[in-house]
Amino acid sequence: MAVQRIVVDPITRIEGHLRIEADFDNGKIVNAFSSGTTFRGLEKIMEGRDPRDAWAFVQRICGVCTHIHAIASVQAVEDALGITIPKNADLIRKIMTATQFVQDHVIHFYHLHALDWVDVVSALKADPKATSTLAQSISNYPKSSVGYFTDIQNTLKGFVGSGQLGIFANGYWGHPAYKLPPEANLMAVAHYLEALEWQKDIVRIHTIFGGKNPHPNYLVGGMACAINIDNDNTINMERLDLVAREINKAIDFVNQVYIPDLFAIGSFYKDWGFGGGVTNYMSYGSLADDKTRNTKDAVFPGGIILNRDLSKVMDVDPRDPEQIKEVIDHSWYDYTGDKGGRHPWNGETTVKYTGPKPPYQQLDTAGKYSWIKTPQWMGKSMEVGPLARMLVGYARGNDVIKTSVDGALQKLGVGKESLFSALGRTLARGLETKIMVDYLKTTYDALLANIKAGDSKVFEQSKWDPSTWPKTCQGVGFTEAPRGALAHYVKIDNGKVSLYQAVVPTTWNAAPEDQQHQKGPYEAALIGTPMADPQKPLEIIRIIHSFDPCIACAAH
Amino acid sequence: MNETFYQEMRRKGYSRRDFLKMCGLLTAVLGLEASFTSRIANALETKPRLPVIYLSLQECTCCAESFIRTAHPLLSELLFNMISLDYMETLQAASGLQAEEAKMKTMQDYKGHYLVVVEGSIPLNDDGIYCTIGGRSAKDILLEAAQNSVAVIAYGSCATNTCVQGAYPNPTGAVPVKNIVAHVPVIDVPGCPPIAEVIAGVIAHYLTFDRLPELTNLGRPKAFYNHRIHDNCNRRAFFDAGMFVENFDDDGAKQGWCLYKVGCKGPTTYNACAITQWNNGVSYPIKSGHPCIGCSEPGFYDNFPMYEHLAHVPITAMPFEPDKIGKWITGLTVAGVAAHGVATGVIKRLDKEPRKDEEAGK
Amino acid sequence: MLKKSVYVWESPIRIYHWVNVILITVLVATGLFIGDPIFTRPGEAYAVFIMGKVRLWHSMAAWLFIANFIYRLYWAFVGNEHAQFKPWRKGFVSDGIESVKYYLFLTKEHTLHLGHNVVAQLAYFTVMWIGSLFMILSGLALQGEIFPGGLQARIAGWMIPLFGGGSYALRSYHHLTTWIFIAFVVVHLYLVIRQDILDDDATVSSIINGHKFAMVDGEDNHDKH
Ligand code: HEM
Ligand code: HEM
Ligand code: NFV
Ligand code: SF4
Ligand code: SF4
Ligand code: F3S
Ligand SMILES: [Mg+2]
């Protein structure tokens, strides 16, 4: 049989518009192309604006990982202007970052990824009693009675029976790649609904400090939420108590629902070892101590791993023009002059579309085929994200991460090599969510201790006024976003932004190939995967979802 | 609304017996116990849930994120009891062809009876290459879905005013939904994003009262967008008193004073934030100390710098604020007048001199 | 040169003029304060009401300003020839060109008008008529925002979508036009005083007592310096 081109567009249950074209031959994917099909031009729009306003624009790069772009942006501007933010502001930002991780990862697991592993229709056949037994055997989560699961199942039956399947319509139900017994499916469906209800609560931590979620508010130089424990219109005990309550609920939810489900579902799929992809991993590191600012021993350590070799970690420096470069060999952009890779401080976003005019059936994958650029570290494609963070942390010997990863592998009864797969990514995401809820608690305690010690400062005023700024300067804000390494680069000229470049986690992961046909992480992960039915792309979306794509992020 | 499935069967000449038999078959196919037949029959006899097609175009998905945070109604109530969300890329199980088929089916089966919710703007430059789904342009997709819908809800600032991507110089030529959809009502529900309970409320309003909500002169539901933030702001007493935060984290800030002088756009922003508040009534930007940035208003991203009361002259993207322009106008006027005065004096003197000469010459 | 005293400004015009001077001064001062409230006062919010008062004064002055505007509009129909503005009259354009030339020092010929010359009329027309009308409509629209569906909103609510940038844009233009009024006053005072000095025709006092001096010799009033 000739090679068959499979097109999956839209890839759903992700953020944004991703198109996958894959060549299918002999039951397997033999080549794959990842294309981001939307572009907004935010980097261009930033030019000429007040750097203090930048966060509000670039935060809108994405509403799913809302918050993290704003953080990268204020950090970039603070880096350029030489501002050190007050301790309270640093702690609040860290609490908000951890909150973002927890909410985003839980949503991803249940609402974006679960239906790749969980067959909703099979849940109709489950015995609620057996489901209850299963649930109680893995967790002490209180909602686990027979009655509870019976109710959920009846709701589901009524729903399916109505003939209007809504978001579940046309799913790949009954596909041979689904492996869970009906009871596990029913439990997962119940927790799909629980998670939906819970996630709206945890983000209230953002609402307290940033006024709303999605898209809370920030400030170059600190935070805008004044702390005055003796005032009714500021951060006071009632506000902090709400934060504490949500943190406790989050700890319970992650420990009693997410983590047990992850292992329960994972144990049925541990043989499905596909989706490994590129073998290089990168983390910038984040949540470092505010004094040392050393990302190597941060909560998420920074570093590079090549060829899956966990015995060696290299350092990564986002400022180094030799290390980080974006190439555009297969992206719809042009560079003036030298067409080679560019470090972001020297970056450029000039569109040059060469693809087919819509409506089209197929992209010209020999030429340019995506709105996503191709970032590289020392000329190599890098996978970023939870798996990269866990691997780098492991290789750096970070205790928390090491214990967590070793424990998980032991529990599943698999070796380290199992991590290099779609499932490995999904596991890593769960493990770091657990690390993040614990971190939420300790950081909250640190904030309280600092306020108790008499410090209520949240904003550094000294460099607010543009007249105090150097005539020209440049900065970078780098951090870890839920989906991986994120960096914003800014240049400021006479008080105005003269260049803005964002290199975003999904830019790394969803990148098209480079001139030497070195594949991007999505593309590489798909190659070699067998498909039961090329018309039903369940295996493709499974692997792609394991990265948690965000295309608005990737192409901005 | 649409006829029920039962009514449709009767119209096609089937008897109630046939209908119940079919329900029994369906029960078996779905692998449910026989007792379930009556429930299914009941579901098929009552009004179908309102089919909703949710289009994500050129956007950041924060509107969808906000949508799933709704506390009343809860999203699960909305999805299971009120609407049938037949297409929403962010949540639906099916991808690719299967996803597109689900949408086509709803558009055919519920012609004239489904609601379209649009998140995102429509980039028109260069044949729409800046946002394609399934190889088709956002404009095509929107026009097709809107054509036989009851109404289109333009949800979020991208869909109502193009949000950030429409900010100067609007590189992709983004336009809001109302510039594209002409033949069905368009309801603007702006905000970046809108409050969860507001979007859910607009849908629930339509379902409960069987009519579209009344709109303000800006085309937004009165029920949520009738007042400015400023009119219901918790810091309003400080505004009237003239007690302002002069700098972030100053004494005024620590007393919760008004944020007007650090650029609050509450006085020119219509939204429900100050009343409904965010994330189930916890707070809203101003309450948490940051000025409102006017995220529900047209062109709000060109009304910056953000931390000034009135900044650039709107729409023009001129980098001048009214007071700066005003001072220039006045300064130039004074200078012009002074120059004219001097010129008058000089010319008058020159005028007189020749006259003297003439007189002398005589 | 013989001059005779002519009654130019009827008392309603003079009253209008001085009421307007007071109101515009109040509106500009309170308006600019609203835009940039430079004093703040500590204390308890319930006991202080600075911004509220300034807004109240602005609003009260605004209503009087509207009344005065309508009153002047009425006099444009019933008043004497100097109270009227008729761009369609014969010679309006040529007079205008003459006046521009005069102010650009291109000619020393100067048509002495008992009322205002055409340039002055045009300036008054754009700033005082169009400008005031804009301030009134935009001001009413801004006021209408406080009472959705109320009188002001019904009269002028359409102004908000008109400018495409919503309420913020309208407010900015209301603010910007304030400066046009300020610039107008500067030019106005200059021209009035200059006229008085050059032609010695009692222009300044005319707006107080109504009388100006005019040449006795003839209808066309050409004066050579
Ligand atoms: C807010 C300030 C002022 C405004 C808006 C203003 C406006 C006007 C207007 C609209 C007229 C034309 C009268 C009409 O046709 O209805 C006028 C005439 C006049 N104003 Fe004012 N005025 C102002 C201040 C003053 C002051 C302070 C003086 C005194 C020095 C003054 C002296 C005059 C005189 C002498 C005339 C008659 C001008 C002529 O013969 O062309 N004005 N003014
Ligand atoms: C010559 C006439 C006027 C001038 C120079 C003037 C000037 C101003 C200025 C500078 C502002 C501040 C705008 C800002 O920065 O936010 C303002 C606000 C305002 N003006 Fe006027 N204005 C005039 C006439 C009017 C009229 C006729 C009305 C109403 C009928 C009016 C109603 C308002 C209102 C409601 C506000 C907003 C005040 C608030 O609620 O905060 N104005 N005006
Ligand atoms: N990629 C990405 Fe984001 C994340 N996490 C950004 O920094 O999702 Ni929208
Ligand atoms: S309106 Fe704002 S929040 Fe909604 S999609 Fe657009 S940018 Fe995102
Ligand atoms: S904080 Fe903003 S909305 Fe609130 S009273 Fe002050 S100016 Fe108005
Ligand atoms: S910024 Fe937006 S969220 Fe509300 S308070 Fe202002 S409209
Ligand atoms: Mg970029």
Side-chain angles (χ1 to χ4, degrees):
Chain A
M1 209 175 91
V3 177
Q4 186 187 344
R5 178 59 66 98
I6 305 170
V7 176
V8 191
D9 181 5
I11 298 274
T12 59
R13 278 182 283 128
I14 61 164
E15 193 299 326
H17 306 305
L18 175 67
R19 175 184 181 97
I20 295 290
E21 294 197 8
D23 289 337
F24 182 74
D25 192 20
N26 241 330
K28 272 191 179 141
I29 295 169
V30 293
N31 202 355
F33 303 90
S34 155
S35 168
T37 62
T38 191
F39 170 79
R40 287 170 294 161
L42 280 163
E43 291 166 334
K44 274 284 189 224
I45 290 168
M46 287 322 300
E47 290 169 11
R49 297 189 188 259
D50 189 324
R52 293 168 301 176
D53 297 354
W55 69 262
F57 288 76
V58 295
Q59 178 179 47
R60 271 77 184 174
I61 285 177
C62 182
V64 174
C65 62
T66 178
H67 156 90
I68 203 71
H69 285 286
I71 289 292
S73 179
V74 290
Q75 283 181 5
V77 175
E78 285 156 4
D79 181 47
L81 302 177
I83 299 173
T84 310
I85 62 167
K87 188 171 172 104
N88 283 324
D90 182 59
L91 291 169
I92 291 171
R93 286 183 187 176
K94 282 172 171 162
I95 290 174
M96 292 176 80
T97 299
T99 301
Q100 166 55 20
F101 268 70
V102 176
Q103 189 268 352
D104 203 356
H105 284 357
V106 170
I107 286 267
H108 176 262
F109 182 72
Y110 286 102
H111 308 110
L112 306 184
H113 202 16
L115 301 183
D116 304 335
W117 314 97
V118 172
D119 184 335
V120 175
V121 173
S122 144
L124 295 172
K125 297 191 205 94
D127 170 10
K129 221 166 129 194
T131 312
S132 167
T133 313
L134 169 70
Q136 286 168 1
S137 74
I138 60 169
S139 159
N140 54 355
Y141 187 57
K143 287 185 174 176
S144 62
S145 67
V146 181
Y148 169 76
F149 287 112
T150 311
D151 283 350
I152 299 277
Q153 197 182 38
N154 283 342
T155 306
L156 197 60
K157 284 175 178 172
F159 183 77
V160 174
S162 74
Q164 287 183 288
L165 281 180
I167 52 170
F168 299 138
N170 272 9
Y172 306 103
W173 320 128
H175 191 284
Y178 284 120
K179 295 279 191 286
L180 294 186
E183 286 69 34
N185 282 319
L186 179 58
M187 184 179 74
V189 170
H191 293 167
Y192 178 104
L193 299 174
E194 294 293 336
L196 200 54
E197 216 178 310
W198 165 82
Q199 57 85 25
K200 72 182 196 326
D201 293 345
I202 185 174
V203 299
R204 296 159 112 198
I205 297 172
H206 281 189
T207 320
I208 296 283
F209 296 119
K212 73 202 249 261
N213 172 285
H215 295 334
N217 292 302
Y218 299 86
L219 201 58
V220 165
M223 288 298 294
C225 54
I227 298 174
N228 180 354
I229 54 170
D230 296 308
N231 191 279
D232 49 6
N233 214 1
T234 45
I235 299 297
N236 56 23
M237 202 62 241
E238 179 271 336
R239 301 275 89 182
L240 292 166
D241 278 338
L242 208 156
V243 174
R245 163 103 181 104
E246 294 307 340
I247 291 176
N248 289 335
K249 271 161 68 183
I251 292 173
D252 287 349
F253 191 87
V254 169
N255 286 335
Q256 297 180 358
V257 186
Y258 180 15
I259 298 297
D261 282 0
L262 176 67
F263 283 102
I265 296 172
S267 64
F268 286 95
Y269 287 101
K270 54 191 178 195
D271 305 331
W272 203 80
F274 302 103
V278 297
T279 53
N280 310 319
Y281 301 87
M282 182 181 87
S283 160
Y284 286 153
S286 79
L287 306 174
D289 183 273
D290 69 324
K291 290 267 156 18
T292 68
R293 296 202 184 186
N294 182 352
T295 49
K296 276 187 229 170
D297 54 19
V299 177
F300 291 135
I304 300 276
I305 288 170
L306 294 182
N307 306 317
R308 296 182 179 168
D309 178 2
L310 297 186
S311 66
K312 274 210 281 297
V313 206
M314 269 147 285
D315 292 350
V316 55
D317 179 5
R319 294 171 204 271
D320 182 349
E322 291 313 309
Q323 292 191 24
I324 309 287
K325 280 184 181 165
E326 285 191 307
V327 303
I328 50 163
D329 300 327
H330 288 274
S331 320
W332 291 310
Y333 301 98
D334 197 13
Y335 285 158
T336 35
D338 184 6
K339 312 284 181 216
R342 293 266 187 101
H343 184 265
W345 269 330
N346 189 24
E348 180 178 344
T349 303
T350 304
V351 301
K352 184 188 180 188
Y353 186 75
T354 54
K357 184 177 157 178
Y360 55 79
Q361 300 301 319
Q362 207 172 304
L363 289 169
D364 169 21
T365 44
K368 294 180 181 247
Y369 60 88
S370 181
W371 284 117
I372 299 171
K373 291 179 182 172
T374 306
Q376 298 185 329
W377 181 82
M378 306 296 272
K380 291 188 169 58
S381 288
M382 292 280 147
E383 173 175 340
V384 297
L387 178 59
R389 281 190 286 262
M390 292 301 103
L391 293 176
V392 170
Y394 195 96
R396 286 254 186 238
N398 177 296
D399 279 345
V400 179
I401 293 175
K402 231 171 150 347
T403 322
S404 170
V405 172
D406 285 337
L409 294 178
Q410 198 191 357
K411 195 160 175 183
L412 286 169
V414 295
K416 270 191 220 116
E417 66 293 341
S418 296
L419 289 171
F420 307 112
S421 67
L423 212 71
R425 265 173 225 117
T426 303
L427 180 68
R429 193 172 288 110
L431 298 181
E432 78 172 18
T433 309
K434 165 95 177 91
I435 295 172
M436 282 292 100
V437 275
D438 296 340
Y439 177 75
L440 262 178
K441 181 97 187 85
T442 52
T443 315
Y444 173 79
D445 292 344
L447 175 66
L448 247 56
N450 196 49
I451 298 173
K452 191 173 178 185
D455 180 4
S456 69
K457 189 173 172 179
V458 287
F459 169 66
E460 177 52 53
Q461 168 74 29
S462 58
K463 297 219 174 107
W464 178 252
D465 187 345
S467 66
T468 61
W469 301 349
K471 236 176 120 54
T472 59
C473 52
Q474 61 182 29
V476 58
F478 60 89
T479 182
E480 285 292 315
R483 286 157 193 76
L486 169 67
H488 282 214
Y489 296 80
V490 68
K491 277 189 170 174
I492 301 170
D493 239 317
N494 284 315
K496 297 275 184 274
V497 172
S498 59
L499 174 120
Y500 205 99
Q501 289 284 312
V503 186
V504 185
T506 303
T507 321
W508 289 91
N509 285 341
E513 58 186 35
D514 68 5
Q515 207 163 20
Q516 287 78 43
H517 302 294
Q518 183 184 186
K519 288 282 169 187
Y522 288 5
E523 299 176 333
L526 289 172
I527 294 172
T529 307
M531 285 180 79
D533 175 357
Q535 299 309 315
K536 293 194 174 154
L538 181 60
E539 295 87 347
I540 292 182
I541 59 177
R542 223 178 227 187
I543 289 175
I544 294 296
H545 283 163
S546 72
F547 289 92
D548 191 4
C550 177
I551 308 307
C553 269
H556 40 274
Chain B
M1 279 211 99
N2 218 4
E3 63 182 341
T4 66
F5 188 83
Y6 175 58
Q7 285 162 338
E8 189 189 330
M9 275 190 80
R10 292 304 298 264
R11 187 166 48 76
K12 288 184 179 156
Y14 294 96
S15 68
R16 177 149 185 94
R17 251 182 101 91
D18 297 328
F19 170 70
L20 288 176
K21 216 157 127 195
M22 192 229 43
C23 293
L25 266 172
L26 192 62
T27 318
V29 167
L30 293 171
L32 309 177
E33 60 268 38
S35 69
F36 233 77
T37 309
S38 64
R39 273 179 96 144
I40 288 184
N42 187 32
L44 297 183
E45 269 176 328
T46 46
K47 269 204 310 197
R49 300 196 313 284
L50 173 72
V52 174
I53 293 176
Y54 187 115
L55 298 178
S56 312
L57 303 175
Q58 193 190 25
E59 40 82 3
C60 83
T61 311
C62 80
C63 294
E65 284 281 343
S66 187
F67 179 54
I68 66 173
R69 314 250 200 284
T70 170
H72 46 272
L74 282 172
L75 188 68
S76 53
E77 288 162 2
L78 203 63
L79 294 187
F80 283 96
N81 307 327
M82 299 164 76
I83 64 170
S84 180
L85 189 54
D86 294 346
Y87 186 88
M88 179 177 186
E89 280 180 59
T90 330
L91 288 180
Q92 76 192 112
S95 270
L97 286 178
Q98 288 80 14
E100 297 301 296
E101 274 167 24
K103 186 172 76 181
M104 294 308 285
K105 188 167 178 331
T106 298
M107 293 190 309
Q108 277 158 15
D109 292 359
Y110 295 93
K111 215 170 171 165
H113 297 285
Y114 63 88
L115 200 62
V116 173
V117 177
V118 184
E119 169 180 7
S121 54
I122 301 92
L124 294 184
N125 283 0
D126 308 314
D127 305 313
I129 53 168
Y130 300 108
C131 178
T132 64
I133 301 161
R136 298 171 62 204
S137 70
K139 183 181 169 192
D140 256 21
I141 293 166
L142 173 58
L143 279 175
E144 179 193 60
Q147 194 179 19
N148 293 311
S149 65
V150 243
V152 175
I153 299 181
Y155 175 40
S157 285
C158 288
T160 59
N161 61 48
T162 72
C163 206
V164 267
Q165 59 270 27
Y168 181 84
N170 190 355
T172 61
V175 300
V177 170
K178 57 180 173 273
N179 290 23
I180 302 286
V181 176
H183 304 295
V184 290
V186 174
I187 301 168
D188 277 354
V189 181
C192 184
I195 300 175
E197 287 75 18
V198 167
I199 177 65
V202 171
I203 296 172
H205 180 115
Y206 175 64
L207 280 171
T208 311
F209 304 116
D210 257 342
R211 58 172 179 265
L212 297 171
E214 258 187 57
L215 306 181
T216 68
N217 60 347
L218 300 172
R220 310 158 177 192
K222 278 187 181 165
F224 307 103
Y225 294 91
N226 212 20
H227 288 98
R228 298 172 304 168
I229 306 292
H230 188 57
D231 298 320
N232 297 294
C233 178
N234 66 317
R235 296 181 188 238
R236 180 57 190 262
F238 297 113
F239 173 84
D240 289 330
M243 293 157 80
F244 300 105
V245 172
E246 302 281 342
N247 292 304
F248 289 103
D249 211 24
D250 67 2
D251 290 343
K254 287 198 191 322
Q255 301 300 322
W257 288 0
C258 169
L259 298 164
Y260 189 71
K261 292 183 78 173
V262 285
C264 183
K265 304 292 181 286
T268 53
T269 303
Y270 290 81
N271 208 339
C273 307
I275 297 178
T276 307
Q277 302 203 17
W278 281 82
N279 309 101
N280 206 7
V282 169
S283 187
Y284 67 109
I286 292 165
K287 188 166 165 180
S288 289
H290 194 279
C292 168
I293 67 172
C295 77
S296 55
E297 294 305 306
F300 73 103
Y301 272 111
D302 287 324
N303 294 345
F304 282 6
M306 201 153 71
Y307 299 104
E308 277 162 40
H309 164 58
L310 292 180
H312 295 183
V313 174
I315 320 173
T316 60
M318 266 202 287
F320 310 109
E321 46 173 307
D323 277 337
K324 219 178 252 165
I325 299 176
K327 283 170 193 161
W328 272 97
I329 292 176
T330 312
L332 288 175
T333 310
V334 169
V337 159
H340 199 270
V342 169
T344 306
V346 169
I347 287 174
K348 242 191 127 160
R349 182 152 304 157
L350 288 177
D351 253 9
K352 279 181 187 155
E353 277 162 13
R355 239 184 239 179
K356 277 179 200 154
D357 294 347
E358 269 169 45
E359 271 163 22
K362 257 182 195 170
Chain C
M1 269 183 280
L2 271 171
K3 291 186 180 178
K4 76 166 187 213
S5 172
V6 185
Y7 188 54
V8 181
W9 305 114
E10 297 164 289
S11 59
I13 294 290
R14 284 179 275 141
I15 294 171
Y16 157 80
H17 181 270
W18 291 111
V19 168
N20 223 24
V21 169
I22 295 166
L23 292 178
I24 289 178
T25 310
V26 172
L27 285 166
V28 167
T30 53
L32 290 181
F33 184 86
I34 293 168
D36 185 10
I38 40 180
F39 340 106
T40 47
R41 235 217 24 233
E44 282 297 333
Y46 67 82
V48 194
F49 200 59
I50 297 179
M51 196 71 170
K53 276 186 205 147
V54 173
R55 290 179 57 251
L56 183 71
W57 295 333
H58 192 77
S59 265
M60 290 193 315
W63 285 112
L64 294 174
F65 182 75
I66 293 170
N68 201 37
F69 179 83
I70 294 169
Y71 170 69
R72 179 66 181 83
L73 194 62
Y74 171 70
W75 270 94
F77 293 100
V78 303
N80 68 13
E81 55 171 314
H82 309 299
Q84 298 173 2
F85 173 75
K86 288 184 186 154
W88 54 87
R89 84 173 154 79
K90 243 174 82 190
F92 185 89
V93 175
S94 57
D95 276 5
I97 294 170
E98 281 303 306
S99 308
V100 170
K101 280 186 180 165
Y102 169 69
Y103 285 119
L104 292 178
F105 309 111
L106 294 177
T107 172
K108 288 167 198 160
E109 300 279 315
H110 171 36
T111 317
L112 260 186
H113 291 266
L114 287 175
H116 353 268
N117 64 41
V118 170
V119 168
Q121 275 196 28
L122 267 179
Y124 290 144
F125 180 75
T126 36
V127 178
M128 293 318 295
W129 288 114
I130 310 274
S132 296
L133 190 66
F134 175 76
M135 288 313 264
I136 289 171
L137 288 175
S138 57
L140 284 173
L142 294 182
Q143 248 183 27
E145 302 197 278
I146 307 159
F147 320 106
L151 179 70
Q152 295 97 318
R154 268 179 285 153
I155 296 173
W158 51 272
M159 290 288 281
I160 294 174
L162 186 70
F163 290 90
S167 162
Y168 179 90
L170 189 63
R171 203 177 161 111
S172 302
Y173 295 133
H174 188 79
H175 193 120
L176 192 56
T177 312
T178 302
W179 288 100
I180 294 180
F181 274 77
I182 294 172
F184 170 85
V185 172
V186 172
V187 176
H188 174 61
L189 290 180
Y190 168 69
L191 288 182
V192 164
I193 293 165
R194 177 182 192 270
Q195 170 84 6
D196 199 301
I197 294 171
L198 291 188
D199 293 341
D200 200 14
D201 61 355
T203 297
V204 173
S205 56
S206 76
I207 199 71
I208 299 167
N209 60 29
H211 287 275
K212 271 194 189 181
F213 290 122
M215 303 308 125
V216 272
D217 58 69
E219 293 291 314
D220 41 55
N221 291 322
H222 275 104
D223 175 30
K224 283 196 178 147
H225 295 263

